[in-house]
Amino acid sequence: MSSKSEVLRRLEQAKGESISGEDLAKSAGISRTAVWKIIQGLKEEGYAISAVTNKGYCLAPNTDRLSAEGIELYLPESMAGKIHVYKSVDSTNTVAKQMALEGAAHGTAVLAETQTAGKGRLGRRFFSPEQSGVYLSMVLRPKLTAQEALLITTAASVAVCRAIQIVTGQSPQIKWVNDVYLGDRKVCGILTEAVSNFENGEIESIVLGIGINFHWKEPLPNELQQKAGALFEGEVPLGITRNQLAAELIRQVEILTEQIPSRAFLQEYRERSLVLGKRIEIHNFHQEPYFAIAEGIHENGGLIVRLEDGSLQTIQSGEVSIRGIFCHE
């Protein structure tokens, strides 16, 4: 761990409390002058750090900057070194895919304060304003069959809901297949991409991309103003941070990935469903949209619908709308 990382780790650990320069210097194995220089650098990066004579340095309790040091505080030591945070990338999925090709371990996580070309489903762009969301991609190397691997997105939807509820106390719902909503606004999108071995065609790893709108720091584009929402529309309650949410999200993805063979998470997915029992419009890109009643979730993650002639059908792909609520990335 670098000297800067150790200083930031200690400040995050004691957020809202003062730590003497001497203690920081001793912990990082550097001089107090070196500590001062690190503190100045962190301030330039946007960290709200105050210095009080005879008390030391204090990181403001409402500071909300994404960092590996801040995230790792909430994770087991086994995750140390697997968290990578960038100020800006084109897409966290793109970075994670490259890491996967280079042999990154299962559970490696890539986060960014902003994405210049965030990816949504079907080639859509995911709006990723700076310091407003949790833009996270994870490298997964689960020991799953090809059929089981299709459930990763389904499991991730439950992981997102659990993480949001644990950290914020809010109760999100899932609109099949992988959009997470609070009320009638979408707050999270999920994109899963496979990384294949070009020599044998086998799937070597999966990159799971998750974008959560935490709170807005800039106006939304016109086309998103009636569709997208955030976990917090106003002030974020003190004590709730994106680092905390990112850590819980990583933890829940690890847990839910292990449950895929047993399908243990499917009942919770059904309970959180926004569509079951409702009349929906189905868009599957191969035919004209049609209406049906959403009856259930199949063991393979498909949506079971009852058509207007009374017959049942399981759809595996496409999008659905409910009273104007539609899948947007």
Side-chain angles (χ1 to χ4, degrees):
M1 181 179 290
S2 69
S3 299
K4 176 183 174 181
S5 291
E6 176 59 19
V7 170
L8 181 54
R9 185 189 69 82
R10 290 292 309 279
L11 289 171
E12 286 280 7
Q13 195 173 39
K15 184 181 289 186
E17 300 176 1
S18 295
I19 307 178
S20 70
E22 183 178 355
D23 284 347
L24 289 173
K26 186 180 297 184
S27 178
I30 56 178
S31 67
R32 293 184 64 174
T33 300
V35 168
W36 181 86
K37 289 181 179 179
I38 289 173
I39 295 294
Q40 299 314 302
L42 290 172
K43 286 183 177 180
E44 290 176 4
E45 292 178 20
Y47 286 91
I49 303 172
S50 59
V52 181
T53 304
N54 297 325
K55 287 189 176 182
Y57 301 103
C58 176
L59 179 63
N62 62 346
T63 300
D64 190 19
R65 305 286 300 190
L66 283 175
S67 69
E69 296 80 9
I71 293 169
E72 288 175 357
L73 285 178
Y74 301 97
L75 291 171
E77 291 184 5
S78 60
M79 286 298 296
K82 289 186 177 182
I83 311 298
H84 306 269
V85 179
Y86 299 88
K87 182 176 181 180
S88 176
V89 298
D90 55 353
S91 161
T92 57
N93 259 36
T94 300
V95 176
K97 285 170 72 174
Q98 184 59 43
M99 287 185 175
L101 290 170
E102 294 171 355
H106 174 81
T108 296
V110 176
L111 299 98
E113 281 285 10
T114 184
Q115 299 179 106
T116 58
K119 294 181 179 180
R121 290 181 65 236
L122 308 174
R124 299 185 182 114
R125 175 176 175 264
F126 190 91
F127 182 58
S128 312
E130 187 173 1
Q131 297 182 50
S132 297
V134 174
Y135 316 124
L136 162 73
S137 294
M138 290 184 68
V139 176
L140 303 177
R141 300 184 186 276
K143 297 178 181 178
L144 301 172
T145 65
Q147 186 65 37
E148 288 173 335
L150 296 175
L151 284 163
I152 285 180
T153 303
T154 309
S157 302
V158 177
V160 169
C161 289
R162 285 187 184 180
I164 290 173
Q165 187 155 2
I166 289 170
V167 174
T168 74
Q170 301 179 84
S171 300
Q173 292 180 285
I174 302 166
K175 187 169 76 61
W176 186 88
V177 60
N178 62 352
D179 292 324
V180 176
Y181 276 70
L182 280 175
D184 63 353
R185 297 298 182 97
K186 177 179 171 179
V187 297
C188 172
I190 300 169
L191 175 66
T192 305
E193 298 183 279
V195 179
S196 302
N197 184 313
F198 289 105
E199 293 185 1
N200 58 27
E202 294 181 353
I203 295 176
E204 290 191 337
S205 59
I206 291 171
V207 171
L208 172 66
I210 298 171
I212 299 177
N213 303 326
F214 192 75
H215 68 138
W216 302 126
K217 284 207 167 185
E218 62 180 77
L220 290 174
N222 290 335
E223 67 271 18
L224 295 180
Q225 288 182 4
Q226 301 302 316
K227 308 164 186 174
L231 301 185
F232 301 102
E233 298 293 345
E235 290 294 318
V236 179
L238 191 63
I240 297 178
T241 67
R242 290 178 298 143
N243 282 333
Q244 186 181 3
L245 179 60
E248 189 60 40
L249 184 55
I250 291 167
R251 194 175 77 86
Q252 291 298 331
V253 167
E254 292 270 15
I255 293 171
L256 272 295
T257 300
E258 293 294 324
Q259 292 182 5
I260 287 177
S262 70
R263 271 69 166 179
F265 59 89
L266 278 178
Q267 183 55 36
E268 184 172 349
Y269 184 94
R270 295 179 181 112
E271 291 171 355
R272 291 187 181 273
S273 174
L274 191 63
V275 305
L276 293 187
K278 297 178 181 177
R279 188 169 187 263
I280 60 174
E281 186 175 11
I282 301 167
H283 305 251
N284 67 6
F285 319 116
H286 300 300
Q287 63 187 92
E288 289 296 314
Y290 59 97
F291 291 95
I293 301 297
E295 294 279 353
I297 303 297
H298 193 276
E299 287 297 296
N300 64 10
L303 181 63
I304 303 170
V305 301
R306 185 175 298 279
L307 304 179
E308 293 186 337
D309 64 5
S311 62
L312 293 176
Q313 180 185 71
T314 299
I315 57 176
Q316 301 294 340
S317 61
E319 298 177 329
V320 300
S321 61
I322 322 162
R323 300 190 308 277
I325 299 177
F326 195 74
C327 172
H328 292 274
E329 301 290 350

Short mmCIF file of all heavy atoms in Angstrom, two decimals, residues 120-126 153 157 174-181 184-191 223-224 226-228 269 274-275 280-285 317-329:
data_model
loop_
_atom_site.label_atom_id
_atom_site.label_comp_id
_atom_site.label_asym_id
_atom_site.label_seq_id
_atom_site.Cartn_x
_atom_site.Cartn_y
_atom_site.Cartn_z
N GLY A 120 -25.04 1.04 -22.07
CA GLY A 120 -26.33 0.48 -21.68
C GLY A 120 -26.65 -0.69 -22.59
O GLY A 120 -25.88 -1.03 -23.49
N ARG A 121 -27.78 -1.32 -22.37
CA ARG A 121 -28.19 -2.43 -23.22
C ARG A 121 -28.50 -1.94 -24.63
O ARG A 121 -28.89 -0.80 -24.85
CB ARG A 121 -29.41 -3.15 -22.63
CG ARG A 121 -29.12 -3.92 -21.36
CD ARG A 121 -30.37 -4.62 -20.86
NE ARG A 121 -30.84 -5.64 -21.79
CZ ARG A 121 -32.06 -5.66 -22.31
NH1 ARG A 121 -32.92 -4.69 -22.05
NH2 ARG A 121 -32.42 -6.63 -23.12
N LEU A 122 -28.33 -2.86 -25.60
CA LEU A 122 -28.70 -2.62 -26.99
C LEU A 122 -28.00 -1.40 -27.58
O LEU A 122 -28.53 -0.69 -28.42
CB LEU A 122 -30.23 -2.45 -27.11
CG LEU A 122 -31.07 -3.57 -26.48
CD1 LEU A 122 -32.53 -3.23 -26.54
CD2 LEU A 122 -30.77 -4.89 -27.17
N GLY A 123 -26.76 -1.18 -27.12
CA GLY A 123 -25.97 -0.09 -27.67
C GLY A 123 -26.34 1.29 -27.17
O GLY A 123 -25.81 2.29 -27.64
N ARG A 124 -27.23 1.36 -26.19
CA ARG A 124 -27.61 2.67 -25.65
C ARG A 124 -26.49 3.24 -24.78
O ARG A 124 -25.64 2.51 -24.29
CB ARG A 124 -28.90 2.57 -24.84
CG ARG A 124 -30.12 2.09 -25.64
CD ARG A 124 -31.35 2.16 -24.76
NE ARG A 124 -32.52 1.67 -25.47
CZ ARG A 124 -33.19 0.57 -25.14
NH1 ARG A 124 -32.81 -0.13 -24.11
NH2 ARG A 124 -34.25 0.20 -25.82
N ARG A 125 -26.54 4.53 -24.56
CA ARG A 125 -25.57 5.20 -23.70
C ARG A 125 -26.14 5.29 -22.29
O ARG A 125 -27.33 5.56 -22.12
CB ARG A 125 -25.29 6.60 -24.23
CG ARG A 125 -24.38 7.46 -23.34
CD ARG A 125 -24.10 8.79 -24.02
NE ARG A 125 -23.34 9.69 -23.15
CZ ARG A 125 -23.89 10.63 -22.39
NH1 ARG A 125 -25.21 10.80 -22.41
NH2 ARG A 125 -23.15 11.41 -21.63
N PHE A 126 -25.29 5.03 -21.30
CA PHE A 126 -25.72 5.18 -19.90
C PHE A 126 -25.18 6.51 -19.39
O PHE A 126 -23.97 6.73 -19.32
CB PHE A 126 -25.20 4.03 -19.05
CG PHE A 126 -25.81 4.00 -17.67
CD1 PHE A 126 -26.97 3.27 -17.42
CD2 PHE A 126 -25.25 4.72 -16.62
CE1 PHE A 126 -27.55 3.27 -16.15
CE2 PHE A 126 -25.82 4.73 -15.36
CZ PHE A 126 -26.97 4.00 -15.13
N THR A 153 -27.35 -11.98 -14.71
CA THR A 153 -28.03 -10.69 -14.72
C THR A 153 -29.21 -10.69 -13.76
O THR A 153 -29.47 -9.71 -13.05
CB THR A 153 -28.52 -10.36 -16.15
OG1 THR A 153 -27.41 -10.37 -17.03
CG2 THR A 153 -29.17 -8.99 -16.19
N SER A 157 -29.65 -8.32 -10.34
CA SER A 157 -30.77 -7.43 -10.04
C SER A 157 -31.14 -7.52 -8.56
O SER A 157 -31.43 -6.51 -7.90
CB SER A 157 -31.98 -7.80 -10.90
OG SER A 157 -31.67 -7.73 -12.27
N ILE A 174 -37.89 -4.67 -9.23
CA ILE A 174 -37.22 -5.07 -10.47
C ILE A 174 -38.23 -5.14 -11.59
O ILE A 174 -39.28 -5.76 -11.46
CB ILE A 174 -36.54 -6.45 -10.32
CG1 ILE A 174 -35.53 -6.42 -9.16
CG2 ILE A 174 -35.85 -6.85 -11.62
CD1 ILE A 174 -35.05 -7.79 -8.73
N LYS A 175 -37.92 -4.47 -12.69
CA LYS A 175 -38.73 -4.64 -13.89
C LYS A 175 -37.97 -5.56 -14.82
O LYS A 175 -36.86 -5.25 -15.24
CB LYS A 175 -39.03 -3.30 -14.58
CG LYS A 175 -40.03 -3.47 -15.73
CD LYS A 175 -40.54 -2.14 -16.24
CE LYS A 175 -39.49 -1.46 -17.09
NZ LYS A 175 -39.12 -2.27 -18.28
N TRP A 176 -38.60 -6.70 -15.12
CA TRP A 176 -37.92 -7.72 -15.91
C TRP A 176 -37.28 -7.09 -17.14
O TRP A 176 -37.87 -6.26 -17.81
CB TRP A 176 -38.97 -8.78 -16.33
CG TRP A 176 -38.38 -9.96 -17.02
CD1 TRP A 176 -37.90 -11.09 -16.43
CD2 TRP A 176 -38.22 -10.13 -18.42
NE1 TRP A 176 -37.45 -11.95 -17.39
CE2 TRP A 176 -37.63 -11.38 -18.62
CE3 TRP A 176 -38.51 -9.35 -19.55
CZ2 TRP A 176 -37.32 -11.88 -19.88
CZ3 TRP A 176 -38.20 -9.83 -20.81
CH2 TRP A 176 -37.61 -11.09 -20.96
N VAL A 177 -36.04 -7.41 -17.41
CA VAL A 177 -35.31 -8.46 -16.76
C VAL A 177 -34.31 -7.89 -15.75
O VAL A 177 -33.98 -8.53 -14.77
CB VAL A 177 -34.59 -9.33 -17.80
CG1 VAL A 177 -33.62 -8.49 -18.63
CG2 VAL A 177 -33.82 -10.47 -17.20
N ASN A 178 -33.83 -6.67 -15.99
CA ASN A 178 -32.71 -6.22 -15.17
C ASN A 178 -32.70 -4.73 -14.84
O ASN A 178 -31.65 -4.16 -14.59
CB ASN A 178 -31.39 -6.56 -15.87
CG ASN A 178 -31.25 -5.85 -17.20
OD1 ASN A 178 -32.19 -5.22 -17.67
ND2 ASN A 178 -30.09 -5.95 -17.82
N ASP A 179 -33.87 -4.11 -14.82
CA ASP A 179 -33.93 -2.70 -14.45
C ASP A 179 -34.46 -2.56 -13.04
O ASP A 179 -35.46 -3.19 -12.67
CB ASP A 179 -34.84 -1.92 -15.42
CG ASP A 179 -34.25 -1.84 -16.81
OD1 ASP A 179 -33.02 -1.72 -16.92
OD2 ASP A 179 -35.01 -1.91 -17.79
N VAL A 180 -33.81 -1.73 -12.25
CA VAL A 180 -34.20 -1.54 -10.85
C VAL A 180 -34.87 -0.17 -10.72
O VAL A 180 -34.34 0.84 -11.19
CB VAL A 180 -32.98 -1.64 -9.92
CG1 VAL A 180 -33.39 -1.34 -8.48
CG2 VAL A 180 -32.37 -3.04 -10.02
N TYR A 181 -36.04 -0.17 -10.08
CA TYR A 181 -36.87 1.03 -9.97
C TYR A 181 -37.14 1.40 -8.52
O TYR A 181 -37.25 0.54 -7.65
CB TYR A 181 -38.22 0.79 -10.65
CG TYR A 181 -38.23 1.02 -12.14
CD1 TYR A 181 -37.57 0.16 -13.00
CD2 TYR A 181 -38.91 2.11 -12.70
CE1 TYR A 181 -37.57 0.37 -14.37
CE2 TYR A 181 -38.93 2.33 -14.07
CZ TYR A 181 -38.25 1.46 -14.90
OH TYR A 181 -38.26 1.67 -16.25
N ASP A 184 -41.82 4.98 -9.97
CA ASP A 184 -41.90 4.82 -11.42
C ASP A 184 -40.65 5.32 -12.13
O ASP A 184 -40.67 5.58 -13.33
CB ASP A 184 -43.14 5.55 -11.97
CG ASP A 184 -43.08 7.05 -11.73
OD1 ASP A 184 -42.14 7.51 -11.03
OD2 ASP A 184 -43.97 7.76 -12.24
N ARG A 185 -39.54 5.45 -11.39
CA ARG A 185 -38.31 5.93 -11.99
C ARG A 185 -37.21 4.87 -11.92
O ARG A 185 -37.00 4.23 -10.89
CB ARG A 185 -37.80 7.19 -11.26
CG ARG A 185 -38.73 8.39 -11.35
CD ARG A 185 -38.91 8.86 -12.77
NE ARG A 185 -39.76 10.03 -12.88
CZ ARG A 185 -39.30 11.27 -12.96
NH1 ARG A 185 -38.01 11.52 -12.91
NH2 ARG A 185 -40.15 12.28 -13.09
N LYS A 186 -36.52 4.72 -13.03
CA LYS A 186 -35.40 3.77 -13.08
C LYS A 186 -34.18 4.37 -12.40
O LYS A 186 -33.77 5.49 -12.70
CB LYS A 186 -35.07 3.44 -14.54
CG LYS A 186 -33.87 2.51 -14.70
CD LYS A 186 -33.63 2.21 -16.17
CE LYS A 186 -32.32 1.48 -16.37
NZ LYS A 186 -32.07 1.14 -17.78
N VAL A 187 -33.59 3.62 -11.47
CA VAL A 187 -32.42 4.11 -10.74
C VAL A 187 -31.17 3.29 -11.03
O VAL A 187 -30.07 3.66 -10.60
CB VAL A 187 -32.67 4.14 -9.22
CG1 VAL A 187 -33.80 5.11 -8.87
CG2 VAL A 187 -32.97 2.74 -8.67
N CYS A 188 -31.33 2.18 -11.74
CA CYS A 188 -30.16 1.33 -12.00
C CYS A 188 -30.35 0.54 -13.28
O CYS A 188 -31.44 0.05 -13.57
CB CYS A 188 -29.95 0.37 -10.83
SG CYS A 188 -28.67 -0.89 -11.13
N GLY A 189 -29.27 0.42 -14.04
CA GLY A 189 -29.23 -0.43 -15.21
C GLY A 189 -28.10 -1.44 -15.07
O GLY A 189 -27.09 -1.17 -14.40
N ILE A 190 -28.26 -2.59 -15.68
CA ILE A 190 -27.28 -3.68 -15.57
C ILE A 190 -26.94 -4.18 -16.97
O ILE A 190 -27.82 -4.39 -17.80
CB ILE A 190 -27.82 -4.84 -14.72
CG1 ILE A 190 -28.15 -4.35 -13.30
CG2 ILE A 190 -26.84 -6.00 -14.66
CD1 ILE A 190 -28.92 -5.35 -12.46
N LEU A 191 -25.66 -4.38 -17.23
CA LEU A 191 -25.20 -4.89 -18.52
C LEU A 191 -24.18 -5.99 -18.29
O LEU A 191 -23.17 -5.78 -17.60
CB LEU A 191 -24.57 -3.76 -19.35
CG LEU A 191 -23.94 -4.19 -20.69
CD1 LEU A 191 -25.02 -4.67 -21.64
CD2 LEU A 191 -23.15 -3.04 -21.30
N GLU A 223 -34.31 13.90 -22.56
CA GLU A 223 -34.93 12.61 -22.82
C GLU A 223 -34.98 11.71 -21.59
O GLU A 223 -35.68 10.69 -21.58
CB GLU A 223 -34.19 11.88 -23.94
CG GLU A 223 -32.77 11.44 -23.62
CD GLU A 223 -31.72 12.50 -23.95
OE1 GLU A 223 -32.12 13.68 -24.10
OE2 GLU A 223 -30.54 12.16 -24.06
N LEU A 224 -34.27 12.09 -20.51
CA LEU A 224 -34.25 11.26 -19.30
C LEU A 224 -35.05 11.87 -18.14
O LEU A 224 -35.27 11.20 -17.13
CB LEU A 224 -32.80 11.04 -18.83
CG LEU A 224 -31.88 10.23 -19.74
CD1 LEU A 224 -30.50 10.11 -19.12
CD2 LEU A 224 -32.45 8.83 -20.01
N GLN A 226 -38.13 12.46 -17.50
CA GLN A 226 -39.36 11.81 -17.07
C GLN A 226 -39.18 10.31 -16.84
O GLN A 226 -40.14 9.61 -16.54
CB GLN A 226 -40.46 12.03 -18.12
CG GLN A 226 -40.78 13.50 -18.37
CD GLN A 226 -41.20 14.23 -17.11
OE1 GLN A 226 -41.99 13.72 -16.32
NE2 GLN A 226 -40.66 15.43 -16.92
N LYS A 227 -37.95 9.82 -16.99
CA LYS A 227 -37.73 8.38 -16.94
C LYS A 227 -36.76 7.95 -15.83
O LYS A 227 -36.99 6.96 -15.17
CB LYS A 227 -37.18 7.89 -18.28
CG LYS A 227 -38.01 8.32 -19.48
CD LYS A 227 -37.22 8.14 -20.77
CE LYS A 227 -37.98 8.69 -21.97
NZ LYS A 227 -37.17 8.65 -23.20
N ALA A 228 -35.69 8.72 -15.69
CA ALA A 228 -34.64 8.31 -14.75
C ALA A 228 -34.84 8.94 -13.39
O ALA A 228 -35.34 10.07 -13.26
CB ALA A 228 -33.27 8.70 -15.31
N TYR A 269 -36.40 -12.43 -6.24
CA TYR A 269 -36.58 -11.73 -7.52
C TYR A 269 -38.08 -11.61 -7.82
O TYR A 269 -38.56 -10.54 -8.21
CB TYR A 269 -35.88 -12.51 -8.64
CG TYR A 269 -35.92 -11.83 -9.99
CD1 TYR A 269 -34.87 -11.01 -10.41
CD2 TYR A 269 -37.00 -11.99 -10.85
CE1 TYR A 269 -34.89 -10.38 -11.65
CE2 TYR A 269 -37.04 -11.37 -12.08
CZ TYR A 269 -35.98 -10.57 -12.48
OH TYR A 269 -36.03 -9.94 -13.70
N LEU A 274 -41.80 -5.94 -10.46
CA LEU A 274 -42.68 -4.81 -10.73
C LEU A 274 -43.76 -5.19 -11.74
O LEU A 274 -44.72 -4.45 -11.93
CB LEU A 274 -41.85 -3.64 -11.27
CG LEU A 274 -42.46 -2.26 -11.39
CD1 LEU A 274 -42.86 -1.72 -10.03
CD2 LEU A 274 -41.46 -1.32 -12.05
N VAL A 275 -43.60 -6.36 -12.38
CA VAL A 275 -44.50 -6.69 -13.49
C VAL A 275 -45.47 -7.83 -13.22
O VAL A 275 -46.51 -7.91 -13.88
CB VAL A 275 -43.68 -7.03 -14.77
CG1 VAL A 275 -42.74 -5.90 -15.12
CG2 VAL A 275 -42.91 -8.34 -14.61
N ILE A 280 -48.93 -6.20 -19.53
CA ILE A 280 -47.71 -5.58 -20.04
C ILE A 280 -47.71 -5.59 -21.56
O ILE A 280 -48.45 -6.35 -22.19
CB ILE A 280 -46.45 -6.33 -19.54
CG1 ILE A 280 -46.49 -7.79 -20.00
CG2 ILE A 280 -46.32 -6.22 -18.03
CD1 ILE A 280 -45.23 -8.58 -19.68
N GLU A 281 -46.90 -4.71 -22.12
CA GLU A 281 -46.68 -4.71 -23.56
C GLU A 281 -45.28 -5.24 -23.81
O GLU A 281 -44.31 -4.78 -23.18
CB GLU A 281 -46.82 -3.30 -24.14
CG GLU A 281 -46.75 -3.27 -25.66
CD GLU A 281 -47.01 -1.88 -26.23
OE1 GLU A 281 -47.03 -0.91 -25.43
OE2 GLU A 281 -47.19 -1.75 -27.45
N ILE A 282 -45.15 -6.21 -24.68
CA ILE A 282 -43.88 -6.89 -24.92
C ILE A 282 -43.28 -6.44 -26.24
O ILE A 282 -43.95 -6.43 -27.27
CB ILE A 282 -44.08 -8.42 -24.92
CG1 ILE A 282 -44.66 -8.87 -23.57
CG2 ILE A 282 -42.76 -9.14 -25.21
CD1 ILE A 282 -45.18 -10.28 -23.57
N HIS A 283 -42.01 -6.09 -26.19
CA HIS A 283 -41.26 -5.68 -27.38
C HIS A 283 -40.08 -6.64 -27.51
O HIS A 283 -39.17 -6.62 -26.68
CB HIS A 283 -40.73 -4.25 -27.23
CG HIS A 283 -41.79 -3.24 -26.91
ND1 HIS A 283 -42.22 -2.29 -27.81
CD2 HIS A 283 -42.51 -3.04 -25.77
CE1 HIS A 283 -43.16 -1.55 -27.25
NE2 HIS A 283 -43.35 -1.98 -26.01
N ASN A 284 -40.10 -7.50 -28.52
CA ASN A 284 -39.01 -8.47 -28.65
C ASN A 284 -38.19 -8.32 -29.92
O ASN A 284 -37.40 -9.20 -30.27
CB ASN A 284 -39.52 -9.90 -28.51
CG ASN A 284 -40.43 -10.30 -29.66
OD1 ASN A 284 -40.59 -9.55 -30.64
ND2 ASN A 284 -41.02 -11.48 -29.58
N PHE A 285 -38.40 -7.21 -30.63
CA PHE A 285 -37.57 -6.84 -31.77
C PHE A 285 -37.76 -7.71 -33.01
O PHE A 285 -37.19 -7.44 -34.05
CB PHE A 285 -36.07 -6.84 -31.41
CG PHE A 285 -35.81 -6.25 -30.05
CD1 PHE A 285 -35.28 -7.03 -29.04
CD2 PHE A 285 -36.12 -4.93 -29.78
CE1 PHE A 285 -35.05 -6.50 -27.78
CE2 PHE A 285 -35.89 -4.39 -28.52
CZ PHE A 285 -35.36 -5.17 -27.53
N SER A 317 -35.99 -12.88 -23.96
CA SER A 317 -35.32 -11.62 -24.27
C SER A 317 -36.36 -10.60 -24.70
O SER A 317 -37.51 -10.95 -24.99
CB SER A 317 -34.28 -11.81 -25.38
OG SER A 317 -34.90 -12.26 -26.58
N GLY A 318 -35.95 -9.36 -24.76
CA GLY A 318 -36.86 -8.29 -25.14
C GLY A 318 -37.04 -7.29 -24.01
O GLY A 318 -36.29 -7.29 -23.03
N GLU A 319 -38.04 -6.46 -24.14
CA GLU A 319 -38.34 -5.44 -23.14
C GLU A 319 -39.84 -5.40 -22.92
O GLU A 319 -40.62 -5.80 -23.80
CB GLU A 319 -37.84 -4.07 -23.61
CG GLU A 319 -36.33 -4.01 -23.79
CD GLU A 319 -35.86 -2.67 -24.32
OE1 GLU A 319 -36.63 -2.03 -25.06
OE2 GLU A 319 -34.75 -2.27 -23.98
N VAL A 320 -40.23 -4.93 -21.76
CA VAL A 320 -41.65 -4.84 -21.46
C VAL A 320 -41.97 -3.44 -20.93
O VAL A 320 -41.10 -2.77 -20.34
CB VAL A 320 -42.09 -5.90 -20.42
CG1 VAL A 320 -41.82 -7.30 -20.95
CG2 VAL A 320 -41.39 -5.69 -19.08
N SER A 321 -43.20 -3.02 -21.14
CA SER A 321 -43.65 -1.74 -20.59
C SER A 321 -44.91 -1.97 -19.78
O SER A 321 -45.70 -2.87 -20.06
CB SER A 321 -43.91 -0.72 -21.70
OG SER A 321 -44.93 -1.17 -22.57
N ILE A 322 -45.07 -1.16 -18.73
CA ILE A 322 -46.24 -1.24 -17.85
C ILE A 322 -46.78 0.16 -17.67
O ILE A 322 -46.10 1.01 -17.10
CB ILE A 322 -45.87 -1.78 -16.45
CG1 ILE A 322 -44.82 -2.86 -16.53
CG2 ILE A 322 -47.10 -2.23 -15.70
CD1 ILE A 322 -44.13 -3.10 -15.21
N ARG A 323 -47.96 0.42 -18.18
CA ARG A 323 -48.57 1.74 -18.00
C ARG A 323 -47.59 2.86 -18.28
O ARG A 323 -47.43 3.81 -17.53
CB ARG A 323 -49.10 1.89 -16.57
CG ARG A 323 -50.17 0.87 -16.17
CD ARG A 323 -50.81 1.25 -14.84
NE ARG A 323 -49.82 1.48 -13.80
CZ ARG A 323 -49.26 0.53 -13.07
NH1 ARG A 323 -49.61 -0.73 -13.25
NH2 ARG A 323 -48.39 0.82 -12.14
N GLY A 324 -46.82 2.68 -19.37
CA GLY A 324 -45.89 3.73 -19.76
C GLY A 324 -44.51 3.59 -19.17
O GLY A 324 -43.59 4.29 -19.57
N ILE A 325 -44.31 2.68 -18.17
CA ILE A 325 -42.97 2.46 -17.64
C ILE A 325 -42.24 1.57 -18.62
O ILE A 325 -42.68 0.45 -18.91
CB ILE A 325 -43.01 1.78 -16.25
CG1 ILE A 325 -43.75 2.66 -15.26
CG2 ILE A 325 -41.62 1.47 -15.77
CD1 ILE A 325 -43.90 2.03 -13.89
N PHE A 326 -41.12 2.04 -19.16
CA PHE A 326 -40.43 1.27 -20.18
C PHE A 326 -38.97 1.12 -19.80
O PHE A 326 -38.43 1.92 -19.02
CB PHE A 326 -40.55 1.96 -21.55
CG PHE A 326 -40.19 1.08 -22.70
CD1 PHE A 326 -41.04 0.08 -23.12
CD2 PHE A 326 -38.97 1.25 -23.36
CE1 PHE A 326 -40.70 -0.73 -24.19
CE2 PHE A 326 -38.62 0.44 -24.42
CZ PHE A 326 -39.49 -0.54 -24.84
N CYS A 327 -38.34 0.12 -20.36
CA CYS A 327 -36.93 -0.15 -20.08
C CYS A 327 -36.05 0.86 -20.81
O CYS A 327 -36.03 0.88 -22.02
CB CYS A 327 -36.57 -1.56 -20.52
SG CYS A 327 -34.83 -1.96 -20.42
N HIS A 328 -35.34 1.70 -20.06
CA HIS A 328 -34.44 2.67 -20.68
C HIS A 328 -33.06 2.52 -20.09
O HIS A 328 -32.90 2.25 -18.91
CB HIS A 328 -34.94 4.10 -20.41
CG HIS A 328 -36.22 4.41 -21.12
ND1 HIS A 328 -36.25 4.86 -22.41
CD2 HIS A 328 -37.51 4.34 -20.72
CE1 HIS A 328 -37.51 5.07 -22.77
NE2 HIS A 328 -38.29 4.75 -21.77
N GLU A 329 -32.03 2.69 -20.91
CA GLU A 329 -30.64 2.63 -20.43
C GLU A 329 -30.02 4.01 -20.52
O GLU A 329 -30.36 4.79 -21.37
CB GLU A 329 -29.82 1.65 -21.31
CG GLU A 329 -30.40 0.24 -21.31
CD GLU A 329 -30.24 -0.48 -20.00
OE1 GLU A 329 -29.51 0.03 -19.13
OE2 GLU A 329 -30.80 -1.53 -19.83
#
